[in-house]
PDB file of all heavy atoms in Angstrom:
ATOM      1  N   ASP A  17      76.014 -80.642  22.494  1.00  0.00           N
ATOM      2  CA  ASP A  17      75.166 -81.798  22.167  1.00  0.00           C
ATOM      3  C   ASP A  17      74.544 -81.615  20.781  1.00  0.00           C
ATOM      4  O   ASP A  17      74.331 -82.590  20.064  1.00  0.00           O
ATOM      5  CB  ASP A  17      74.043 -81.959  23.202  1.00  0.00           C
ATOM      6  CG  ASP A  17      74.511 -82.677  24.458  1.00  0.00           C
ATOM      7  OD1 ASP A  17      74.451 -83.903  24.491  1.00  0.00           O
ATOM      8  OD2 ASP A  17      74.944 -81.989  25.395  1.00  0.00           O
ATOM      9  N   ALA A  18      74.242 -80.371  20.413  1.00  0.00           N
ATOM     10  CA  ALA A  18      73.700 -80.102  19.079  1.00  0.00           C
ATOM     11  C   ALA A  18      74.811 -80.198  18.025  1.00  0.00           C
ATOM     12  O   ALA A  18      74.577 -80.656  16.911  1.00  0.00           O
ATOM     13  CB  ALA A  18      73.055 -78.714  19.034  1.00  0.00           C
ATOM     14  N   ILE A  19      76.008 -79.767  18.387  1.00  0.00           N
ATOM     15  CA  ILE A  19      77.130 -79.791  17.435  1.00  0.00           C
ATOM     16  C   ILE A  19      77.555 -81.231  17.140  1.00  0.00           C
ATOM     17  O   ILE A  19      77.765 -81.601  15.990  1.00  0.00           O
ATOM     18  CB  ILE A  19      78.318 -78.962  17.972  1.00  0.00           C
ATOM     19  CG1 ILE A  19      77.912 -77.491  18.128  1.00  0.00           C
ATOM     20  CG2 ILE A  19      79.534 -79.092  17.043  1.00  0.00           C
ATOM     21  CD1 ILE A  19      78.924 -76.628  18.864  1.00  0.00           C
ATOM     22  N   ILE A  20      77.662 -82.032  18.187  1.00  0.00           N
ATOM     23  CA  ILE A  20      77.929 -83.461  17.993  1.00  0.00           C
ATOM     24  C   ILE A  20      77.241 -84.246  19.118  1.00  0.00           C
ATOM     25  O   ILE A  20      77.712 -84.263  20.257  1.00  0.00           O
ATOM     26  CB  ILE A  20      79.449 -83.782  17.868  1.00  0.00           C
ATOM     27  CG1 ILE A  20      79.684 -85.271  17.637  1.00  0.00           C
ATOM     28  CG2 ILE A  20      80.259 -83.281  19.042  1.00  0.00           C
ATOM     29  CD1 ILE A  20      79.352 -85.749  16.261  1.00  0.00           C
ATOM     30  N   PRO A  21      76.084 -84.859  18.812  1.00  0.00           N
ATOM     31  CA  PRO A  21      75.323 -85.557  19.849  1.00  0.00           C
ATOM     32  C   PRO A  21      76.148 -86.672  20.524  1.00  0.00           C
ATOM     33  O   PRO A  21      76.963 -87.326  19.867  1.00  0.00           O
ATOM     34  CB  PRO A  21      74.143 -86.145  19.081  1.00  0.00           C
ATOM     35  CG  PRO A  21      74.011 -85.303  17.856  1.00  0.00           C
ATOM     36  CD  PRO A  21      75.413 -84.905  17.506  1.00  0.00           C
ATOM     37  N   ALA A  22      75.877 -86.876  21.812  1.00  0.00           N
ATOM     38  CA  ALA A  22      76.646 -87.852  22.601  1.00  0.00           C
ATOM     39  C   ALA A  22      76.580 -89.252  22.010  1.00  0.00           C
ATOM     40  O   ALA A  22      77.513 -90.034  22.168  1.00  0.00           O
ATOM     41  CB  ALA A  22      76.134 -87.868  24.037  1.00  0.00           C
ATOM     42  N   ARG A  23      75.483 -89.555  21.288  1.00  0.00           N
ATOM     43  CA  ARG A  23      75.354 -90.916  20.749  1.00  0.00           C
ATOM     44  C   ARG A  23      76.465 -91.253  19.758  1.00  0.00           C
ATOM     45  O   ARG A  23      76.682 -92.420  19.447  1.00  0.00           O
ATOM     46  CB  ARG A  23      73.976 -91.116  20.118  1.00  0.00           C
ATOM     47  CG  ARG A  23      73.601 -90.131  19.023  1.00  0.00           C
ATOM     48  CD  ARG A  23      72.147 -90.319  18.579  1.00  0.00           C
ATOM     49  NE  ARG A  23      71.760 -89.359  17.541  1.00  0.00           N
ATOM     50  CZ  ARG A  23      71.293 -88.124  17.797  1.00  0.00           C
ATOM     51  NH1 ARG A  23      71.168 -87.718  19.044  1.00  0.00           N
ATOM     52  NH2 ARG A  23      70.961 -87.320  16.809  1.00  0.00           N
ATOM     53  N   TYR A  24      77.186 -90.245  19.273  1.00  0.00           N
ATOM     54  CA  TYR A  24      78.281 -90.503  18.335  1.00  0.00           C
ATOM     55  C   TYR A  24      79.662 -90.437  18.993  1.00  0.00           C
ATOM     56  O   TYR A  24      80.684 -90.499  18.314  1.00  0.00           O
ATOM     57  CB  TYR A  24      78.220 -89.517  17.160  1.00  0.00           C
ATOM     58  CG  TYR A  24      76.893 -89.572  16.428  1.00  0.00           C
ATOM     59  CD1 TYR A  24      76.067 -88.463  16.343  1.00  0.00           C
ATOM     60  CD2 TYR A  24      76.463 -90.770  15.850  1.00  0.00           C
ATOM     61  CE1 TYR A  24      74.840 -88.525  15.714  1.00  0.00           C
ATOM     62  CE2 TYR A  24      75.233 -90.846  15.220  1.00  0.00           C
ATOM     63  CZ  TYR A  24      74.422 -89.721  15.154  1.00  0.00           C
ATOM     64  OH  TYR A  24      73.208 -89.798  14.529  1.00  0.00           O
ATOM     65  N   LEU A  25      79.689 -90.306  20.316  1.00  0.00           N
ATOM     66  CA  LEU A  25      80.980 -90.110  20.979  1.00  0.00           C
ATOM     67  C   LEU A  25      81.681 -91.420  21.349  1.00  0.00           C
ATOM     68  O   LEU A  25      82.590 -91.426  22.157  1.00  0.00           O
ATOM     69  CB  LEU A  25      80.820 -89.243  22.231  1.00  0.00           C
ATOM     70  CG  LEU A  25      80.234 -87.844  22.000  1.00  0.00           C
ATOM     71  CD1 LEU A  25      80.248 -87.044  23.303  1.00  0.00           C
ATOM     72  CD2 LEU A  25      80.991 -87.085  20.922  1.00  0.00           C
ATOM     73  N   THR A  26      81.244 -92.512  20.729  1.00  0.00           N
ATOM     74  CA  THR A  26      81.961 -93.760  20.965  1.00  0.00           C
ATOM     75  C   THR A  26      83.213 -93.817  20.097  1.00  0.00           C
ATOM     76  O   THR A  26      83.912 -94.803  20.067  1.00  0.00           O
ATOM     77  CB  THR A  26      81.066 -94.981  20.678  1.00  0.00           C
ATOM     78  OG1 THR A  26      80.552 -94.850  19.354  1.00  0.00           O
ATOM     79  CG2 THR A  26      79.905 -95.051  21.664  1.00  0.00           C
ATOM     80  N   THR A  27      83.487 -92.747  19.383  1.00  0.00           N
ATOM     81  CA  THR A  27      84.716 -92.647  18.604  1.00  0.00           C
ATOM     82  C   THR A  27      85.268 -91.240  18.737  1.00  0.00           C
ATOM     83  O   THR A  27      84.534 -90.314  19.086  1.00  0.00           O
ATOM     84  CB  THR A  27      84.458 -92.948  17.112  1.00  0.00           C
ATOM     85  OG1 THR A  27      85.690 -92.785  16.397  1.00  0.00           O
ATOM     86  CG2 THR A  27      83.438 -91.992  16.512  1.00  0.00           C
ATOM     87  N   SER A  28      86.558 -91.074  18.460  1.00  0.00           N
ATOM     88  CA  SER A  28      87.116 -89.726  18.387  1.00  0.00           C
ATOM     89  C   SER A  28      87.728 -89.489  17.013  1.00  0.00           C
ATOM     90  O   SER A  28      88.503 -88.569  16.817  1.00  0.00           O
ATOM     91  CB  SER A  28      88.133 -89.499  19.506  1.00  0.00           C
ATOM     92  OG  SER A  28      89.156 -90.464  19.435  1.00  0.00           O
ATOM     93  N   GLU A  29      87.379 -90.351  16.045  1.00  0.00           N
ATOM     94  CA  GLU A  29      87.897 -90.193  14.680  1.00  0.00           C
ATOM     95  C   GLU A  29      87.245 -88.983  14.013  1.00  0.00           C
ATOM     96  O   GLU A  29      86.017 -88.941  13.851  1.00  0.00           O
ATOM     97  CB  GLU A  29      87.606 -91.456  13.848  1.00  0.00           C
ATOM     98  CG  GLU A  29      88.487 -92.637  14.183  1.00  0.00           C
ATOM     99  CD  GLU A  29      89.970 -92.303  14.121  1.00  0.00           C
ATOM    100  OE1 GLU A  29      90.393 -91.614  13.168  1.00  0.00           O
ATOM    101  OE2 GLU A  29      90.714 -92.698  15.048  1.00  0.00           O
ATOM    102  N   PRO A  30      88.046 -87.983  13.610  1.00  0.00           N
ATOM    103  CA  PRO A  30      87.479 -86.741  13.064  1.00  0.00           C
ATOM    104  C   PRO A  30      86.470 -86.949  11.937  1.00  0.00           C
ATOM    105  O   PRO A  30      85.408 -86.322  11.944  1.00  0.00           O
ATOM    106  CB  PRO A  30      88.717 -85.981  12.582  1.00  0.00           C
ATOM    107  CG  PRO A  30      89.823 -86.467  13.465  1.00  0.00           C
ATOM    108  CD  PRO A  30      89.510 -87.910  13.728  1.00  0.00           C
ATOM    109  N   GLN A  31      86.762 -87.828  10.980  1.00  0.00           N
ATOM    110  CA  GLN A  31      85.849 -87.980   9.841  1.00  0.00           C
ATOM    111  C   GLN A  31      84.506 -88.587  10.247  1.00  0.00           C
ATOM    112  O   GLN A  31      83.466 -88.222   9.717  1.00  0.00           O
ATOM    113  CB  GLN A  31      86.512 -88.798   8.714  1.00  0.00           C
ATOM    114  CG  GLN A  31      87.573 -88.012   7.940  1.00  0.00           C
ATOM    115  CD  GLN A  31      87.114 -86.593   7.523  1.00  0.00           C
ATOM    116  OE1 GLN A  31      85.979 -86.361   7.114  1.00  0.00           O
ATOM    117  NE2 GLN A  31      88.022 -85.626   7.661  1.00  0.00           N
ATOM    118  N   GLU A  32      84.544 -89.521  11.196  1.00  0.00           N
ATOM    119  CA  GLU A  32      83.293 -90.114  11.686  1.00  0.00           C
ATOM    120  C   GLU A  32      82.459 -89.066  12.425  1.00  0.00           C
ATOM    121  O   GLU A  32      81.236 -89.019  12.307  1.00  0.00           O
ATOM    122  CB  GLU A  32      83.580 -91.302  12.618  1.00  0.00           C
ATOM    123  CG  GLU A  32      84.097 -92.528  11.880  1.00  0.00           C
ATOM    124  CD  GLU A  32      84.350 -93.700  12.818  1.00  0.00           C
ATOM    125  OE1 GLU A  32      83.472 -94.014  13.635  1.00  0.00           O
ATOM    126  OE2 GLU A  32      85.451 -94.281  12.740  1.00  0.00           O
ATOM    127  N   LEU A  33      83.124 -88.220  13.202  1.00  0.00           N
ATOM    128  CA  LEU A  33      82.417 -87.155  13.914  1.00  0.00           C
ATOM    129  C   LEU A  33      81.861 -86.128  12.929  1.00  0.00           C
ATOM    130  O   LEU A  33      80.728 -85.659  13.074  1.00  0.00           O
ATOM    131  CB  LEU A  33      83.353 -86.472  14.920  1.00  0.00           C
ATOM    132  CG  LEU A  33      83.882 -87.354  16.055  1.00  0.00           C
ATOM    133  CD1 LEU A  33      84.983 -86.629  16.832  1.00  0.00           C
ATOM    134  CD2 LEU A  33      82.759 -87.781  17.006  1.00  0.00           C
ATOM    135  N   ALA A  34      82.645 -85.817  11.903  1.00  0.00           N
ATOM    136  CA  ALA A  34      82.245 -84.812  10.909  1.00  0.00           C
ATOM    137  C   ALA A  34      80.935 -85.195  10.227  1.00  0.00           C
ATOM    138  O   ALA A  34      80.120 -84.331   9.897  1.00  0.00           O
ATOM    139  CB  ALA A  34      83.348 -84.627   9.881  1.00  0.00           C
ATOM    140  N   ALA A  35      80.707 -86.488  10.054  1.00  0.00           N
ATOM    141  CA  ALA A  35      79.502 -86.960   9.364  1.00  0.00           C
ATOM    142  C   ALA A  35      78.227 -86.590  10.130  1.00  0.00           C
ATOM    143  O   ALA A  35      77.132 -86.616   9.564  1.00  0.00           O
ATOM    144  CB  ALA A  35      79.578 -88.471   9.168  1.00  0.00           C
ATOM    145  N   HIS A  36      78.361 -86.238  11.409  1.00  0.00           N
ATOM    146  CA  HIS A  36      77.185 -85.897  12.222  1.00  0.00           C
ATOM    147  C   HIS A  36      77.236 -84.467  12.751  1.00  0.00           C
ATOM    148  O   HIS A  36      76.496 -84.113  13.671  1.00  0.00           O
ATOM    149  CB  HIS A  36      77.063 -86.888  13.379  1.00  0.00           C
ATOM    150  CG  HIS A  36      76.995 -88.304  12.919  1.00  0.00           C
ATOM    151  ND1 HIS A  36      75.877 -88.826  12.306  1.00  0.00           N
ATOM    152  CD2 HIS A  36      77.924 -89.293  12.930  1.00  0.00           C
ATOM    153  CE1 HIS A  36      76.116 -90.085  11.976  1.00  0.00           C
ATOM    154  NE2 HIS A  36      77.343 -90.397  12.342  1.00  0.00           N
ATOM    155  N   CYS A  37      78.098 -83.656  12.153  1.00  0.00           N
ATOM    156  CA  CYS A  37      78.285 -82.286  12.631  1.00  0.00           C
ATOM    157  C   CYS A  37      76.980 -81.488  12.560  1.00  0.00           C
ATOM    158  O   CYS A  37      76.319 -81.465  11.515  1.00  0.00           O
ATOM    159  CB  CYS A  37      79.359 -81.625  11.767  1.00  0.00           C
ATOM    160  SG  CYS A  37      79.747 -79.957  12.246  1.00  0.00           S
TER     161      CYS A  37
END
Side-chain angles (χ1 to χ4, degrees):
Chain A
D17 278 272
I19 297 170
I20 181 74
R23 56 187 179 274
Y24 303 119
L25 301 185
T26 54
T27 178
S28 57
E29 285 307 317
Q31 286 313 320
E32 288 181 48
L33 297 170
H36 304 287
C37 182

